[in-house]
Amino acid sequence: MSAIVGIYHLNQSPVSPTELGQMMDTLAHRGTDAAKIWTEDCVGLGCRLQWTTPESFLEELPLIHASETTVLTADARIDNRSELIEMLGLSDRPADKITDSCLILAAYLKWGERCPAYLIGDFAFAIWDRRQQCLFCARDPMGVKPFYYYRTAQTFVFASEIKALLALPFVPHRLNEAMVADYLAKILFCIRKEDSFYKDIQELTATQSLRITPEKFQVQTYWEPDLSHELKLGSDQEYVEAFREIFVESVQCRLRSAFPIGSTLSGGLDSTSIACTARTLLNQTGQPPLKTFSAIFPTLAEQFPKIDERHYMDAAIALGDLDAHFVRTDLVSPLIDLADVFHYGEEPGPAPNLYLDWEVFKAAQQQDVRVLFTGIDGDTTITYGVQYLEELARAGRGLKLWQEGSALAKVWKKSRRDVIWNYGIRPAIPEPVLQVGRRLRGRPAQVDSDGWDIRTTVLRPDFAQRMNIFETVQSDAVQSLELGKSKLSAREEHWLSLHYGSVRYALQWLDKMAARFSLEARHPFCDRRLIEFCLALPSGQKLHQGWTRSILRRSMEGILPPAVQWRLGKGDLSANFLRRLLGDEQNTLERVIFRDHAAIEAYIDIPALQTAYQNYREHPQTADNDAVNIFVAINLALWIEQAQPTS
């Protein structure tokens, strides 16, 4: 985890070291171990370093190549080091003396602008190429490392965080109303992946690189998965062994650290798989036990049993070799440390449970951890696999559909008929055919709706119309990710959820939140190799003998405790949010909703918001949608008050 900044004056005017220094100052929290800037005429680059890996102690960034033809600044951790060292002909020197930045620069000199496709890991970097008089930038395939930029005909500036761009006097602070509309409509995760909440500041999208010269600005995709490829192995066991090999490697390569390592441990399948795999690997090499951090809610356990995941956490801890730490998040408001959250997150909070990560990260810092594993987002990387039933129905494989549907119904304890119909047969039948069937049975035909209703939001109708929200919800991304009405194949939908969905937005927030606490968040389920494998995996390995996410469950045999390996469902953490938002923040809610709402009244239907609040007050544990709408509105209002962007 580090910080990068850069200025390129396309009109050839000299870069001011003072301006670069101002940008660097705003990002001091991202790198306290070293800081350096480099300037040459119209170009300037900067980097703040936070040491995490053994090799990072040797980093000198910005890095000037011996030929003085290229200069690199990078926030990067490269995971396929051994492979690259061999491919780049660097095996004649000790591997532990080769920094990740050296590998990136050598890759650029060998492969040019194709180099990001050869890099496995999390990275955002920029290279000044003096020979071609161009700036080349790239961001990792999942967008773990942030990269923001502002561009005019005269200047291109970039940074790891928005605040570094806003430190420059010529960068506007204008509110992006399109993002506000998507946020209030609760479709923010589906679209506008290049945009920020500031109208003039954009992101370099995951999987993309850009090349800029005074004459041309070009963005291109350097990697995308082959969605036509399906993995074909000889047996179920071969699939399990292949998955386990890649998953273990995705954890192993992220264990490279010179400091104590931590991991979130929620008791769910994803975080526990990572923690138990890391535990085994660390134990094999005689390293200190993995520190785990778990959010718990003991005061709510009896009243709301689904919030209490300690049974699953304890099952993992009982295996030994885990240094367990528990965070009492039942004592914490969802709006905890909000001024800090806005300063470091830089945009309105994306999710009601964000405060849980904030408190867990805070606890990890107190234990001197610099590297923290998270379980995001095994659900999306592997998927649950229920689309397999639809595939069987479309292929006319009735017997297999009956077998798998019956097995799933048994595991879920649901009606076999309902499961086979709802997840297999019905999705495979074209909607016009279903309408005819309803008429023949004397039932009224259902109106084909887009499934989205403005009444479930607090959007002002005139603002929604002005921002074309009603057209936006018709997009394939919104229809698939939010409304479950995909017209795409299972693999297309799978990749869409990884490339566009909430995962991308959450990764960016987690990076900036972790940086606040001097942590590097690492996400084994976001390993490109694992994603490629899971995208190519046959659906029958994801849903297998009635078990969703079966490939992960079977591959964790002997690693996970059985209580977690074969658990059903997830914990429901909403009870604490619903209780504490009203209980702790009532004065703040009522101030914004009934008095100080000038900042949001152009976007939010204030009477509808007030009605939602009254309903929430009367039914605090059941008004889920009202509570979320209130959370979104309050976050937007308070963020605008603090950030003060112009409209």
Side-chain angles (χ1 to χ4, degrees):
M1 184 270 294
S2 297
I4 58 173
V5 301
I7 301 175
Y8 179 18
H9 287 311
L10 303 169
N11 59 7
Q12 305 302 303
S13 63
V15 166
S16 163
T18 300
E19 290 184 337
L20 267 180
Q22 290 171 339
M23 297 175 74
M24 292 276 282
D25 288 346
T26 67
L27 301 180
H29 61 286
R30 291 188 68 94
T32 58
D33 295 319
K36 180 182 173 183
I37 62 173
W38 167 89
T39 62
E40 180 180 83
D41 301 327
C42 61
V43 180
L45 304 175
C47 183
R48 299 196 72 103
L49 276 169
Q50 186 83 3
W51 296 327
T52 55
T53 67
E55 297 80 13
S56 65
F57 289 88
L58 304 175
E59 292 279 16
E60 291 188 15
L61 287 165
L63 175 64
I64 305 171
H65 189 261
S67 65
E68 297 189 354
T69 58
T70 49
V71 185
L72 164 78
T73 188
D75 175 15
R77 188 199 68 259
I78 303 303
D79 292 331
N80 61 331
R81 288 173 50 84
S82 298
E83 176 188 15
L84 285 173
I85 287 171
E86 183 176 348
M87 294 172 71
L88 295 169
L90 302 176
S91 301
D92 58 340
R93 65 200 73 177
D96 60 359
K97 303 300 181 185
I98 301 175
T99 64
D100 289 352
S101 59
C102 286
L103 291 175
I104 295 171
L105 201 52
Y108 177 77
L109 292 173
K110 181 177 179 65
W111 295 302
E113 294 173 16
R114 295 181 293 117
C115 71
Y118 292 87
L119 305 176
I120 301 294
D122 303 333
F123 55 81
F125 65 80
I127 298 174
W128 171 246
D129 189 325
R130 180 184 292 152
R131 296 165 302 180
Q132 300 189 44
Q133 290 293 291
C134 80
L135 187 69
F136 176 75
C137 310
R139 189 177 181 193
D140 64 77
M142 287 299 291
V144 173
K145 299 293 187 180
F147 188 106
Y148 295 96
Y149 66 89
Y150 167 75
R151 177 171 72 100
T152 68
Q154 291 77 39
T155 298
F156 176 82
V157 292
F158 68 86
S160 296
E161 295 184 7
I162 294 171
K163 61 179 67 66
L165 302 179
L166 296 177
L168 298 171
F170 55 83
V171 176
H173 293 220
R174 296 195 298 164
L175 182 65
N176 186 348
E177 292 188 337
M179 286 286 279
V180 170
D182 294 349
Y183 180 66
L184 295 174
K186 294 179 280 192
I187 58 171
L188 179 63
F189 300 143
C190 303
I191 45 180
R192 308 193 198 284
K193 58 182 180 176
E194 299 88 1
D195 289 358
S196 76
F197 271 82
Y198 292 88
K199 187 172 184 179
D200 305 282
I201 295 175
Q202 292 185 295
E203 298 177 34
L204 180 59
T205 301
T207 74
Q208 291 193 332
S209 63
L210 68 81
R211 183 181 193 272
I212 184 168
T213 67
E215 295 79 29
K216 191 173 183 180
F217 177 81
Q218 182 180 14
V219 175
Q220 60 184 10
T221 298
Y222 64 80
W223 171 82
E224 55 187 357
D226 179 4
L227 299 182
S228 67
H229 173 60
E230 179 166 294
L231 185 66
K232 296 186 183 298
L233 300 178
S235 67
D236 291 341
Q237 186 58 31
E238 286 184 38
Y239 284 110
V240 167
E241 291 171 359
F243 177 90
R244 182 164 51 227
E245 180 180 351
I246 292 176
F247 180 73
V248 170
E249 174 59 25
S250 73
V251 176
Q252 174 110 52
C253 67
R254 286 169 174 77
L255 287 173
R256 187 165 57 102
S257 175
F259 298 90
I261 300 172
S263 180
T264 59
L265 180 63
S266 70
L269 189 57
D270 298 332
S271 67
T272 313
S273 293
I274 290 169
C276 288
T277 300
R279 160 196 168 274
T280 302
L281 294 170
L282 291 172
N283 189 42
Q284 289 170 353
T285 55
Q287 297 185 59
L290 179 73
K291 296 177 182 285
T292 62
F293 300 89
S294 305
I296 60 172
F297 308 85
T299 58
L300 298 178
E302 186 174 347
Q303 185 179 0
F304 303 100
K306 288 186 177 181
I307 204 171
D308 191 5
E309 297 277 88
R310 286 177 293 178
H311 166 70
Y312 301 107
M313 300 170 191
D314 291 344
I317 295 165
L319 296 175
D321 298 311
L322 292 176
D323 181 6
H325 300 267
F326 298 95
V327 184
R328 287 287 304 275
T329 41
D330 58 336
L331 306 178
V332 179
S333 161
L335 302 184
I336 185 76
D337 297 340
L338 205 58
D340 256 8
V341 171
F342 287 153
H343 176 72
Y344 292 102
E346 305 184 307
E347 297 177 314
N353 284 337
L354 182 72
Y355 72 102
L356 303 178
D357 298 304
W358 183 265
E359 290 299 295
V360 165
F361 289 177
K362 187 187 298 183
Q365 183 191 41
Q366 292 168 356
Q367 293 296 318
D368 298 321
V369 166
R370 281 205 183 187
V371 170
L372 185 71
F373 285 8
T374 82
I376 191 174
D377 189 47
D379 284 354
T380 311
T381 295
I382 297 170
T383 78
Y384 283 77
V386 293
Q387 298 95 331
Y388 184 41
L389 299 185
E390 180 183 349
E391 291 180 18
L392 293 173
R394 289 185 184 278
R397 298 179 60 189
L399 178 59
K400 188 65 174 175
L401 172 61
W402 176 265
Q403 291 171 341
E404 281 294 344
S406 299
L408 180 60
K410 182 178 180 181
V411 170
W412 279 359
K413 296 181 174 59
K414 291 187 176 181
S415 160
R416 175 191 299 158
R417 176 186 177 280
D418 289 347
V419 168
I420 293 175
W421 171 254
N422 290 325
Y423 294 95
I425 298 173
R426 191 191 187 289
I429 300 175
E431 183 61 31
V433 176
L434 290 173
Q435 297 282 18
V436 170
R438 292 188 191 101
R439 292 190 187 98
L440 291 175
R441 294 194 302 273
R443 298 179 182 177
Q446 295 182 358
V447 177
D448 186 15
S449 168
D450 59 28
W452 182 85
D453 190 340
I454 193 173
R455 291 172 296 181
T456 64
T457 76
V458 288
L459 269 169
R460 279 184 62 135
D462 57 336
F463 176 59
Q465 186 171 11
R466 178 162 65 87
M467 303 311 298
N468 297 316
I469 285 294
F470 301 99
E471 289 79 7
T472 301
V473 298
Q474 298 293 338
S475 69
D476 286 344
V478 176
Q479 291 287 305
S480 175
L481 296 174
E482 290 296 322
L483 304 175
K485 299 178 65 177
S486 180
K487 301 175 183 177
L488 309 174
S489 70
R491 283 198 178 88
E492 289 171 334
E493 187 176 355
H494 188 176
W495 175 235
L496 183 73
S497 65
L498 286 163
H499 195 46
Y500 273 82
S502 58
V503 182
R504 178 193 65 83
Y505 205 73
L507 286 171
Q508 191 157 277
W509 261 89
L510 288 173
D511 177 90
K512 291 192 282 189
M513 287 173 57
R516 158 63 181 86
F517 297 105
S518 301
L519 300 170
E520 180 187 349
R522 297 183 183 177
H523 320 287
F525 280 107
C526 294
D527 189 289
R528 191 181 100 187
R529 295 161 295 191
L530 186 63
I531 287 170
E532 289 177 321
F533 181 91
C534 290
L535 282 167
L537 193 65
S539 297
Q541 293 298 322
K542 300 171 185 177
L543 177 66
H544 184 75
Q545 296 181 356
W547 288 96
T548 59
R549 313 191 68 212
S550 173
I551 191 70
L552 177 60
R553 297 180 194 273
R554 288 177 286 146
S555 71
M556 289 294 103
E557 183 69 34
I559 298 175
L560 277 181
V564 178
Q565 183 183 4
W566 302 107
R567 68 170 294 185
L568 295 174
K570 290 177 173 289
D572 182 356
L573 309 184
S574 62
N576 194 64
F577 164 74
L578 293 169
R579 179 181 67 117
R580 297 211 74 103
L581 180 65
L582 185 62
D584 295 343
E585 306 294 345
Q586 184 171 346
N587 290 339
T588 299
L589 302 186
E590 293 185 354
R591 175 182 71 80
V592 173
I593 293 171
F594 294 100
R595 298 190 300 279
D596 301 335
H597 43 64
I600 56 173
E601 59 189 12
Y603 315 120
I604 289 177
D605 185 338
I606 299 300
L609 180 62
Q610 292 170 348
T611 299
Y613 178 72
Q614 296 294 354
N615 188 48
Y616 176 36
R617 280 197 61 184
E618 294 171 10
H619 310 282
Q621 285 301 326
T622 57
D624 296 57
N625 187 61
D626 290 322
V628 171
N629 281 330
I630 291 164
F631 173 84
V632 166
I634 296 298
N635 261 268
L636 179 64
L638 297 179
W639 176 75
I640 290 175
E641 286 181 3
Q642 179 167 320
Q644 296 184 326
T646 58
S647 57

